[in-house]
């Protein structure tokens, strides 16, 4: 079980927002100095009055904040920015927490998410990326099992109102409990202890059939065949990844050393068909790092 520090948000978005906050803080310090520099020779009171009323520093700070963050090949759609349907509700953190314990809203990106707990409830977005969407990464939460350890479930994807596929979700890697002396631990999965944390997990999948075209709508909907009692949707990362790259020249493939790929995911559970490839991978590393590499392997650097 991976320990996730507070505040708990999506890793990609959290990194970007922390960077924005850092630059904004630096920008704020710069803004407080700029008016005084620009008005050297003027009375101090005039210089101090110029800062808060001048729009230019604020605009520069906003532009700098907007430009911060990694350039990524995916776009993020927050659930609360979508359109709820069928009675789905947006849930948000509306006040500061009163205890040290967590909540789904506290851990959600933007501290808001859409809650689906009835048949026909959904959240819908429009593909405004200007590109087709062939891959989705859904950040969602479904209930824990009564005894802990998680459950599996599906949530249906619709494109322009037409069913496209069922997405696999699970809670096997979430729902740690902090009550009964377990505060700030990450490996206690006993629901009887109460005060849960780590509500969210991410599940990625390729879109079945043709990609979602630009301008089309796509939605996640709880239907009668979706067995979890509720689905909390935080966000969806979308992209149109390129085709896999071919193996570079003068390189060694771990599959040529005996590693076996498993292309049949089991939605969070152990796969009995998987093969332990550790020895094969180590063999590949040994071949690439030895002084006399076999044909096709890159020579070691001095």
């Amino acid at each position: 079980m991976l320990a996730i520090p507070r505040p708990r948000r999506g890793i990609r978005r959290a990194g970007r927002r922390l960077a924005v906050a850092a630059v904004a803080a630096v920008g704020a310090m710069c803004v407080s100095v700029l008016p005084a520099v620009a008005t050297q020779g003027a009375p101090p009171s005039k210089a101090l009055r110029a800062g808060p009323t001048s729009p230019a520093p604020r605009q520069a700070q906003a532009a700098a904040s907007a430009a911060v963050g990694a350039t990524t090949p995916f776009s993020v759609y927050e659930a609360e920015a979508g359109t709820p349907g069928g009675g789905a509700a947006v849930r948000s953190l509306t006040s500061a927490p009163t205890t040290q314990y967590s909540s789904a809203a506290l851990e959600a990106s933007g501290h808001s998410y859409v809650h689906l707990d009835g048949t026909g409830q959904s959240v819908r977005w429009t593909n405004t990326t200007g590109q087709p969407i062939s891959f989705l990464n859904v950040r969602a939460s479904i209930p824990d099992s009564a005894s802990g350890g998680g459950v599996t479930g599906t949530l249906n994807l619709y494109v322009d109102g037409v069913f496209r596929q069922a997405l696999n979700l699970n809670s096997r890697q979430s729902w740690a409990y902090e009550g009964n002396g377990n505060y700030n631990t990450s490996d206690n999965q006993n629901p009887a202890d109460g005060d849960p944390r780590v509500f969210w997990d991410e599940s990625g999948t390729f879109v079945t059939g043709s990609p979602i075209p630009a301008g089309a709508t796509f939605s996640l909907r709880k239907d009668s065949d979706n067995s979890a009692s509720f689905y909390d949707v935080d966000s969806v990362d979308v992209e149109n990844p390129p085709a896999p790259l071919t193996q570079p020249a003068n390189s060694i493939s771990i599959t040529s050393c005996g590693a076996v790929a498993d292309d049949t995911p089991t939605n969070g559970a152990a796969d009995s068909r998987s093969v332990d490839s550790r020895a094969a991978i180590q063999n590949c590393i040994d071949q690439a790092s030895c002084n006399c590499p076999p044909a096709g392997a890159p020579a070691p650097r001095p």
Side-chain angles (χ1 to χ4, degrees):
M1 179 64 64
L2 177 65
I4 304 177
R6 290 187 173 80
R8 308 170 190 89
R9 301 178 184 175
I11 293 175
R12 297 166 177 162
R13 291 176 294 281
R16 181 168 65 245
R17 286 169 178 156
L18 287 173
V20 170
V23 172
V26 173
M29 291 187 289
C30 293
V31 168
S32 66
V33 173
L34 285 173
V37 174
T39 57
Q40 279 184 339
S45 59
K46 182 178 180 181
L48 291 173
R49 288 196 301 270
T53 59
S54 175
R58 291 196 299 270
Q59 293 171 356
Q61 179 182 341
S65 297
V68 169
T71 299
T72 63
F74 60 89
S75 299
V76 182
Y77 286 86
E78 295 288 346
E80 63 271 19
T83 303
V90 175
R91 294 188 174 179
S92 302
L93 187 69
T94 57
S95 60
T98 57
T99 73
Q100 72 270 38
Y101 297 109
S102 190
S103 68
L106 186 64
E107 294 183 11
S109 61
H111 297 312
S112 294
Y113 61 93
V114 171
H115 180 74
L116 315 176
D117 63 3
T119 300
Q121 293 186 355
S122 65
V123 56
R124 185 183 76 249
W125 304 268
T126 299
N127 177 8
T128 58
T129 65
Q131 302 290 330
I133 296 172
S134 59
F135 186 85
L136 303 174
N137 184 67
V138 179
R139 188 170 194 249
S141 175
I142 63 175
D144 195 2
S145 65
S147 58
V151 298
T152 60
T154 60
L155 185 60
N156 289 341
L157 170 68
Y158 286 75
V159 178
D160 282 335
V162 178
F163 173 78
R164 179 62 67 89
Q165 69 194 87
L167 307 181
N168 288 320
L169 304 177
N170 75 82
S171 55
R172 294 180 184 274
Q173 282 77 47
S174 54
W175 293 91
Y177 297 89
E178 297 188 297
N180 197 23
N182 292 284
Y183 179 67
N184 212 30
T185 62
S186 60
D187 57 354
N188 177 35
Q189 291 190 299
N190 180 15
D193 288 329
D195 297 313
R197 60 173 281 198
V198 192
F199 298 88
W200 304 98
D201 200 2
E202 299 185 10
S203 179
T205 185
F206 283 96
V207 175
T208 299
S210 59
I212 302 169
T217 63
F218 61 101
S219 57
L220 299 177
R221 191 169 90 179
K222 173 177 167 49
D223 291 326
S224 58
D225 59 330
N226 303 133
S227 58
S229 59
F230 69 80
Y231 296 82
D232 290 337
V233 181
D234 184 21
S235 62
V236 181
D237 301 340
V238 303
E239 63 178 310
N240 188 37
L245 298 175
T246 57
Q247 182 179 342
N250 299 320
S251 66
I252 302 174
S253 168
I254 60 173
T255 56
S256 68
C257 295
V260 179
D262 180 12
D263 297 327
T264 308
T266 57
N267 198 21
D271 187 356
S272 60
R273 294 163 294 184
S274 64
V275 175
D276 187 346
S277 296
R278 287 177 293 180
I281 294 172
Q282 185 61 55
N283 179 34
C284 201
I285 294 172
D286 293 343
Q287 289 185 34
S289 61
C290 72
N291 291 326
C292 300
R301 294 182 179 181

